Amino acid sequence: MSIRGRLLTLAIGGVVPLLVVGLTMLWIVWGGKQQQANESLEQQAELAAVVFERWIDAQYQPLRTIAAYPEERLNNSSSLDADLKAALAPRSYWIDLRVMDAGGKVVAVYPAGGESLPPGVAERLLEDARRGIANVETDWTRGEGRYVLALAAPTERGGAVIARIDGAALKEPLQGITLPERALVTLLDQRRRIVYRSQTPESAIGFDLSDSGMLSALDKQSTAVIVVRSSIDNVERVYGLARVGATGYSVMVGVPSAVLYAPAWRQLTFYALVSLVVFFCTMAAALLIARSIARPVRLLSFATEQFGEGNFSARAPSEGRDEISRLGASFNAMAERLEKREARFAELDRLKSEFVSGVSHELRTPLTTIKALTKLLMREGLSEEKRREYIETISIECDRQIDLVLNLLDLSRIEGGVFRITHDRVDVGQLVQSVVKSETRSAEKRKHDLAAEPSGELPPACADPKALRRVLSNIVENAIKYTPDGGRIRLSARAEDNEVLISVVDNGRGIPQEDMPILFDKFYRGEPAPLSDAMRGAASDAEFLEDADVSGVGLGLYLGRNVMEQMGGRIEVVSEVGRGSTFTLHLPVWRNGGCPKQAERNNGDG
Ligand code: ADP
């Protein structure tokens, strides 16, 4: 798994359990809030039941007073009429009031001549009265949606005082209850028909709910809560149910569930939203952190892959101070070094290839010349002059071959650390004369003016005579090679500050300044510099390259510097492109019968 994936998993692993705990807590809070709302609804229903019960009780009061009359007064219909009238008069919603004996005969009724009780109702009321139960009956015989409440108070002799009250009177007590918003109060009689409904439609009055199963919860206990979709207005409500004492009536207070649970729902939604916002913020933060860590690692790994595939310029991001940036910086430093080393290897490789082809060329060219000349020498009738010329050329080419082989041998000795030189007394003036003499032939071939300037009296130098000769010869040969035909080459020697200096001055092409630091490197061979205007008259670049002997393998100066340093000396170069070069060999002066180091050693021994 990627680093980003792992960090995200870590963040999710931390946040998700927290989220689950948070949501569970919310669910518990939600359940608690619902429970609270339900209980308050149950209390509302109980309150409505109490209000209704009290109202009924208030209606009973005058009935009980009359029912408690002595026997004689209960049988005296004329005085009873006056009592009934007095009881009815202040109660506008009472329809009529009557006294019945135990046999069901009406003893007195007010107003007189009013309608008789419907069959069944009178019997039931009398039956209840005889059993001593004060009951309320609903008389539905009045037609659609209209009804009358019939109350009976038992007399001592088994009769009853019965009042009939217009059902519309119920509005008064039940409308006075303070209820929650959009609450619906419904009152049901014993037969579970609606006798009061606080909301329209009116047609709901008389609606039979006995089949709806709504009140089955009430059969088991005195109060309950149910959630039901109303068959009247099709609204889903939570109902609080309560029985109204011994009347057999029930009260339902219903509130649409959406309204009842709205506050709890709002709170839950708020908490859930906050949780979600926290979750997403955490995830976004985790994502950003994961990105900020994974991106540099990815770039670093990309850079290493690129580097591994050979793109040595690939670099990792290294800005910043964190560990990954530091790792990137270390990688970059390493890549920098490897890139330089690689470039160096490539350069060495190139130089080596050039060296191999150069050596082959250097070996083949003189051999070809020697072979051709020996064939010519074998011809009959060759003039003495030609024969001498051919033999001289063969000798020069042989010297070149020997020089090359000696250079190669020196290289392998220097590389193997077994190059040995001697420290002898060298007469520099004599050496200069000798080198000029041996190189004259080559210089003449290129029409150069090669000469040694008078040097006067010189102290002897300390050097390996053979090695020094080869170094000097190589420098003179370079002057001959890298100076266009007809050049001027001067050798001179002088003494300066305990050193003997040998200078070779030419007016050749010179060496570009940018090549100076690598001039003495192994296999270095400079690009031919363009001809100066003065030289251009004599030869074009192409001609120069074709005609001039600019072959070589890039070893002369490398070996020269090594040999000079081993002799305790050095080589200095001053050069300007188009004007020429001056190579100066610095050698220690031979003193007190030895070289300085030898002399020091000798002194130490002594
Ligand atoms: P080689 O002559 O075989 O190339 P050297 O080590 O002697 O190798 O010289 C290295 C390079 O230095 C030459 O290829 C040439 O470009 C430059 N060089 C040396 N001497 C001179 C000179 N006198 N004038 C101009 N360039 C020179």
Side-chain angles (χ1 to χ4, degrees):
M1 194 191 273
S2 68
I3 290 184
R4 184 150 65 157
R6 280 182 212 185
L7 287 170
L8 281 179
T9 313
L10 188 71
I12 291 169
V15 171
V16 166
L18 277 179
L19 200 71
V20 169
V21 170
L23 289 177
T24 312
M25 296 298 285
L26 281 183
W27 191 246
I28 292 170
V29 169
W30 165 247
K33 293 269 170 197
Q34 257 189 329
Q35 179 73 20
Q36 259 179 11
N38 291 349
E39 279 171 10
S40 82
L41 210 57
E42 225 173 19
Q43 284 165 6
Q44 296 281 351
E46 269 182 285
L47 178 71
V50 167
V51 166
F52 179 64
E53 200 176 1
R54 281 202 189 141
W55 182 81
I56 291 284
D57 200 49
Q59 309 309 309
Y60 263 118
Q61 280 313 316
L63 303 187
R64 284 200 195 105
T65 310
I66 296 170
Y69 283 176
E71 185 63 26
E72 313 82 63
R73 199 171 165 183
L74 277 177
N75 289 328
N76 185 342
S77 55
S78 56
S79 71
L80 264 183
D81 280 348
D83 289 336
L84 295 180
K85 184 183 176 186
L88 189 86
R91 296 173 171 88
S92 58
Y93 39 84
W94 282 30
I95 298 167
D96 55 21
L97 188 61
R98 72 194 67 210
V99 178
M100 292 175 92
D101 66 11
K105 192 167 112 330
V106 177
V107 181
V109 59
Y110 185 86
E115 58 188 81
S116 57
L117 285 174
V121 172
E123 281 77 13
R124 276 201 300 277
L125 283 171
L126 262 181
E127 181 55 38
D128 285 349
R130 269 189 221 113
R131 287 183 9 228
I133 304 168
N135 211 350
V136 187
E137 270 287 334
T138 323
D139 168 11
W140 292 100
T141 58
R142 305 223 142 198
E144 187 74 6
R146 300 190 57 228
Y147 62 98
V148 162
L149 294 174
L151 282 67
T155 60
E156 214 166 275
R157 289 283 175 122
V161 181
I162 296 168
R164 293 197 309 153
I165 306 167
D166 189 339
L170 282 175
K171 279 184 188 149
E172 198 181 292
L174 291 175
Q175 270 180 353
I177 307 168
T178 319
L179 290 168
E181 189 196 350
R182 289 183 63 192
L184 167 71
V185 184
T186 313
L187 185 67
L188 306 171
D189 69 0
Q190 300 95 327
R191 283 184 282 157
R192 298 194 165 165
R193 298 216 285 185
I194 297 174
V195 293
Y196 173 79
R197 195 172 189 269
S198 64
Q199 288 174 8
T200 49
E202 284 293 321
S203 60
I205 302 299
F207 196 87
D208 193 343
L209 284 179
S210 51
D211 291 339
S212 72
M214 258 180 107
L215 299 169
S216 53
L218 266 189
D219 295 340
K220 295 180 194 116
Q221 54 211 35
S222 60
T223 56
V225 172
I226 52 164
V227 183
V228 179
R229 183 168 290 282
S230 163
S231 47
I232 295 168
D233 53 15
N234 203 30
V235 175
E236 190 188 82
R237 290 191 184 86
V238 185
Y239 289 95
L241 311 172
R243 275 188 219 170
V244 186
T247 60
Y249 278 57
S250 324
V251 173
M252 310 197 311
V253 176
V255 177
S257 17
V259 177
L260 184 71
Y261 300 138
W265 184 248
R266 273 199 296 274
Q267 212 170 352
L268 186 80
T269 320
F270 174 73
Y271 287 141
L273 274 176
V274 169
S275 304
L276 278 179
V277 167
V278 169
F279 175 75
F280 283 118
C281 286
T282 313
M283 289 317 293
L287 202 74
L288 283 177
I289 293 171
R291 227 176 98 93
S292 71
I293 294 175
R295 194 170 170 272
V297 172
R298 212 177 53 241
L299 291 175
L300 180 62
S301 112
F302 180 70
T304 52
E305 269 169 33
Q306 290 277 304
F307 200 83
E309 283 167 15
N311 175 6
F312 295 107
S313 61
R315 294 290 180 273
S318 58
E319 313 82 40
R321 295 180 175 181
D322 54 298
E323 290 83 349
I324 297 172
S325 300
R326 286 211 295 276
L327 188 63
S330 308
F331 168 79
N332 288 349
M334 183 194 77
E336 203 90 34
R337 282 197 300 277
L338 286 178
E339 191 184 13
K340 276 189 190 148
R341 199 174 293 178
E342 185 61 29
R344 179 89 188 111
F345 283 154
E347 177 64 9
L348 277 178
D349 214 38
R350 187 185 66 77
L351 291 174
K352 217 173 245 177
S353 306
E354 275 183 20
F355 169 71
V356 170
S357 74
V359 167
S360 319
H361 177 78
E362 288 292 289
L363 287 171
R364 203 184 58 232
T365 313
L367 283 177
T368 316
T369 312
I370 291 167
K371 193 175 175 194
L373 291 179
T374 37
K375 268 190 184 171
L376 286 176
L377 279 173
M378 281 190 282
R379 277 194 189 164
E380 296 286 327
L382 202 64
S383 69
E384 185 56 24
E385 190 190 346
K386 279 280 171 199
R387 201 178 61 85
R388 182 176 287 277
E389 186 193 328
Y390 293 165
I391 288 172
E392 257 175 33
T393 311
I394 288 173
S395 164
I396 289 171
E397 295 301 339
C398 283
D399 286 346
R400 244 172 93 176
Q401 288 280 32
I402 290 164
D403 275 353
L404 177 64
V405 172
L406 285 176
N407 273 350
L408 291 175
L409 278 174
D410 283 351
L411 174 70
S412 83
R413 283 193 194 121
I414 285 173
E415 300 283 279
V418 292
F419 185 79
R420 295 280 173 268
I421 51 152
T422 59
H423 295 278
D424 294 326
R425 187 180 193 280
V426 177
D427 184 339
V428 170
Q430 227 174 39
L431 175 73
V432 168
Q433 291 298 338
S434 161
V435 169
V436 168
K437 197 173 167 200
S438 60
E439 296 296 338
T440 301
R441 181 87 185 109
S442 303
E444 277 172 357
K445 277 182 89 180
R446 298 283 307 274
K447 302 184 184 71
H448 290 320
D449 169 14
L450 171 67
E453 286 174 353
S455 52
E457 198 66 20
L458 278 177
C462 172
D464 178 324
K466 280 187 186 164
L468 178 61
R469 187 189 170 85
R470 275 218 304 287
V471 174
L472 186 60
S473 299
N474 181 61
I475 287 174
V476 175
E477 278 160 21
N478 277 352
I480 295 169
K481 274 199 287 185
Y482 302 111
T483 301
D485 288 4
R488 186 173 188 274
I489 300 164
R490 286 288 175 271
L491 273 74
S492 63
R494 65 189 186 279
E496 216 173 270
D497 300 337
N498 295 332
E499 284 184 332
V500 182
L501 278 55
I502 310 169
S503 293
V504 180
V505 185
D506 65 53
N507 63 350
R509 316 185 136 252
I511 299 155
Q513 281 308 305
E514 62 268 23
D515 282 4
M516 283 302 194
I518 52 168
L519 184 67
F520 291 94
D521 283 4
K522 195 165 35 174
F523 308 136
Y524 164 74
R525 300 216 64 225
E527 292 290 321
L531 294 173
S532 69
D533 287 344
M535 292 166 181
R536 201 169 292 280
S540 70
D541 276 3
E543 278 171 348
F544 171 71
L545 288 174
E546 226 175 74
D547 299 338
D549 185 359
V550 287
S551 57
V553 289
L555 276 180
L557 292 181
Y558 169 75
L559 295 174
R561 187 176 66 173
N562 265 280
V563 170
M564 285 303 290
E565 280 171 2
Q566 289 207 34
M567 290 191 298
R570 64 184 195 282
I571 307 181
E572 268 180 6
V573 193
V574 180
S575 184
E576 198 180 327
V577 173
R579 294 188 73 107
S581 314
T582 302
F583 283 77
T584 306
L585 305 182
H586 293 245
L587 288 162
V589 172
W590 174 270
R591 274 226 179 96
N592 305 330
C595 291
K597 277 188 184 165
Q598 260 181 334
E600 275 165 33
R601 267 202 305 276
N602 291 343
N603 289 342
D605 290 346

